[in-house]
Amino acid sequence: MKKAFLPEITYMRGLCMLGVIGIHVGSYALQNPFVNLQLISVLEILSRFAVPAFFFLSAFGLFYHTSVNDPFSYKDFMKRRIQVVLYPYIVWSLFYLLYTGITAHNLGNLHPGPLIVNLLFGTGMYHLYFMVILVWFYVLMPLWRVLVRWILKVPIPWLVILFALQLGFDFISSYRLGAWVTQQFSDSPTIKYLFDMRLNYWVIHYVWIFLFGAVVAEKYEQASEYMWRYRYILAICAIVSVLSMLGAYYYVMDVWHYTVLEAIYTVHQLSPMGVFYTALGTLFSLFLFQVMPLNNTMEAFWSQIGDTSYGIYLVHPFWLLIMTGVMAKYNLLFTVVHVVLLYVMAVGLSYLTTIALKQLPKSARKYILGN
């Protein structure tokens, strides 16, 4: 039986996309030597849950529409995923490599060797690594279905155990493993590179949030009931997770004397407070979209942003490159006003571009937007 349409999931996609653009705009804002710390705390710290939240939403969509109890054809599943993700990934990787190559007067990255490396690790542009991880999640789909079926027997205990394991692994990967690998494999640049690229293809960094999305999808009515019943506790925990992220951000700069960039590299979505923030931020945002009354204008806004979020994700770096290039030409600094305008224009232009791309014939559109 066809499942009911859930507008809150569409709204969540839009919110996460706005967060992703915030992170990328924040990277440009850091070029200001007198960067505004409060602005960066929003763009680079509070937006951090957006990337792993997309894995939650991806798993939710997959398991909401095809339960672990339903018949499953791996061949048909991969055929559909290849069209939706792999084809657009290759097309947009080639586009960005060609564009940056032309602007830099160097097309070396399009030679076979560098091209294969770029495609394997999602380095054609800074946002494409997400699609590489997503493809790996799809390839391993039979494993996730087995794990979800297992978790559903006693969901809460298993999710808590897996969360603790995720917390430990992410901590070791983020803060401990780098020094050991550097020491052990200093004479092996290939292994060192594979390790340095781990955030671009190690799905294990996001297994918990993916499985969490799958379990919530399988038990959505029950999960919604729990969120409403414990809404005050959920809200308090979400606020505490926000304060822990901001507190850690300011702490490492004030007490450990980190630079802003070092603080961002320390307080991220894989840090201990970041993993908590991801889980609570995702769940609380979903709850708010479930219960928060929206007028027609706001419903239209979130629906449009959510429906076009995939296209916006694919195209927004192009507009950021164009606009920041114009700013560089006219010596415009990344002040608060300029950064906010850059963000708004990136969202708006990317949305309009997506609408235009949706008008292409399906034969072309399926390679560009996956549908």
Side-chain angles (χ1 to χ4, degrees), residues 355-366 368-369 371:
I355 296 298
L357 291 174
K358 282 177 173 285
Q359 310 310 309
L360 292 173
K362 187 174 182 179
S363 57
R365 194 176 68 238
K366 69 178 183 180
I368 297 173
L369 295 178
N371 55 40

Side-chain angles (χ1 to χ4, degrees), residues 85 88-89 127-136 310 313-314:
V85 176
Y89 168 69
H127 68 315
L128 293 173
Y129 76 95
F130 173 86
M131 301 181 79
V132 174
I133 300 176
L134 203 54
V135 168
W136 278 111
Y310 191 30
Y313 158 79
L314 292 168

Side-chain angles (χ1 to χ4, degrees), residues 137-154:
F137 269 120
Y138 294 153
V139 170
L140 297 170
M141 191 62 179
L143 171 62
W144 310 134
R145 288 178 63 84
V146 170
L147 290 176
V148 170
R149 193 177 293 114
W150 178 39
I151 293 169
L152 287 173
K153 296 177 181 179
V154 278

Side-chain angles (χ1 to χ4, degrees), residues 92-104:
W92 285 95
S93 292
L94 293 173
F95 169 77
Y96 282 114
L97 288 171
L98 180 62
Y99 177 81
T100 54
I102 291 174
T103 54

Side-chain angles (χ1 to χ4, degrees), residues 235-255:
I236 291 171
C237 290
I239 292 171
V240 170
S241 71
V242 169
L243 294 177
S244 70
M245 288 289 285
L246 293 177
Y249 166 67
Y250 287 109
Y251 178 87
V252 296
M253 288 188 293
D254 185 52
V255 178

Side-chain angles (χ1 to χ4, degrees), residues 232-298:
Y232 298 117
I233 296 175
L234 177 60
I236 291 171
C237 290
I239 292 171
V240 170
S241 71
V242 169
L243 294 177
S244 70
M245 288 289 285
L246 293 177
Y249 166 67
Y250 287 109
Y251 178 87
V252 296
M253 288 188 293
D254 185 52
V255 178
W256 292 356
H257 306 295
Y258 279 17
T259 64
V260 182
L261 188 59
E262 288 172 334
I264 292 168
Y265 286 159
T266 303
V267 186
H268 46 66
Q269 66 266 30
L270 300 182
S271 64
M273 64 289 296
V275 177
F276 277 100
Y277 177 59
T278 291
L280 291 163
T282 300
L283 206 57
F284 188 61
S285 298
L286 179 59
F287 171 72
L288 285 181
F289 279 126
Q290 282 182 338
V291 302
M292 187 169 54
L294 298 175
N295 58 34
N296 291 338
T297 301
M298 292 307 298

